[in-house]
Amino acid sequence: MTGLLILLNRPDQVAALLDAARDVAGRLAVRRLDVAAAREPPDDTILPTEEILTEADRARIRAAQRAWAGALHRQVVAWADALRARDPAALAPDGLALNWLDPEMSAARLIMLHAADDTAIVAGFPHPHDGDQARRGLHAALFDSRRPVLLVPEGWHAGVGRRILLAWTDMPACHRAVAAARPLIAQAEQVAVLDRDGSAPPANVPGGRILPSPPPGGSAAEQADAILAAAGAAASDLLVIGGYTHGVLHDRLRGSVTDQILAHAARPTWIQH
């Protein structure tokens, strides 16, 4: 696994996602950015009970999807050109390889096809205006891909992973999140651990300092608020947390601490289910 799979959705988030991916690529020992815009197949845009699409409908949907992917690709090219202007060796053949993907397939299927070849997935946080394709893709990334997901807030350009907050619980998903983030943790300038359940924090977290535990119990929203407040107090630029869900991913996830973290895009977050 030598790449990062970057899921694009909105043109205004492209630069933030690519900046974050490039920022962590070296520390994760990856050499390729797989930048993906999955063009939704026409038949995926209707419900099974709806009227069958005509060929004219399919052509119209495909044209709209090509225009959408084209707008994203222009943003990727502009980002790459600006990067080369600052650092001519930043991209292949001397640096990172940039691989553009825009197949006509669901985002969820693209993720499952490519995740096995990539170290982690980079995506934006859920957005109120995301369509079903984007929501299903994010669900697949978080809960089906078996890969850690780096979620990046819109407009974030402040770097990722120099100051890490580990929201620790002694549960399998959190153990996996820490294991996957180990290269980032090892190279961070500052690591803080928020012990959420009174269990012993993970061993050999270099330079880790233990923050006061949040009050036990409380609603998912209250626990998430405590985690985000601790991340803010530690000036963290990466939150590492295990991903848990108790149901289907809807427009806005609401049923768990993970749901609440996803609903409040405050800072880059590394999640492993």
Side-chain angles (χ1 to χ4, degrees), residues 16-38:
L17 294 179
L18 291 172
D19 282 347
R22 179 173 177 257
D23 200 25
V24 301
R27 281 169 283 153
L28 292 172
V30 302
R31 300 285 296 169
R32 188 184 71 250
L33 303 183
D34 293 326
V35 186

Side-chain angles (χ1 to χ4, degrees), residues 62-231:
R62 286 194 170 102
Q65 286 291 295
R66 284 194 296 269
W68 167 78
L72 293 171
H73 186 247
R74 287 191 291 275
Q75 293 294 319
V76 172
V77 171
W79 177 86
D81 287 345
L83 178 59
R84 289 190 187 97
R86 298 192 305 271
D87 181 1
L91 298 175
D94 299 314
L96 277 173
L98 199 62
N99 184 30
W100 171 252
L101 306 169
D102 66 340
E104 184 181 289
M105 66 173 60
S106 71
R109 182 163 178 255
L110 182 145
I111 289 163
M112 299 312 293
L113 285 175
H114 287 274
D117 294 327
D118 289 294
T119 299
I121 298 170
V122 181
F125 276 88
H127 190 276
H129 299 304
D130 284 346
D132 288 341
Q133 161 96 328
R135 288 192 288 269
R136 289 192 296 266
L138 183 58
H139 185 280
L142 288 169
F143 303 117
D144 300 327
S145 70
R146 299 182 182 272
R147 291 289 174 266
V149 179
L150 172 61
L151 294 171
V152 183
E154 189 172 325
W156 183 274
H157 299 288
V160 177
R162 269 67 178 182
R163 300 176 303 281
I164 294 176
L165 175 67
L166 168 58
W168 173 253
T169 56
D170 189 13
M171 297 182 69
C174 200
H175 281 276
R176 287 191 289 269
V178 172
R182 187 71 68 181
L184 299 177
I185 293 171
Q187 298 173 70
E189 298 168 4
Q190 170 187 297
V191 179
V193 180
L194 184 66
D195 181 4
R196 295 172 52 207
D197 60 1
S199 61
N204 65 355
V205 173
R209 60 190 180 97
I210 308 300
L211 299 180
S213 298
S219 67
E222 290 168 337
Q223 294 179 57
D225 284 346
I227 293 169
L228 294 173

Side-chain angles (χ1 to χ4, degrees), residues 39-61:
R39 292 183 288 113
E40 190 169 18
D43 289 335
D44 286 2
T45 65
I46 62 170
L47 297 172
T49 56
E50 292 181 327
E51 190 173 325
I52 296 174
L53 294 174
T54 66
E55 287 306 312
D57 291 331
R58 289 190 173 88
R60 172 180 50 80
I61 292 168

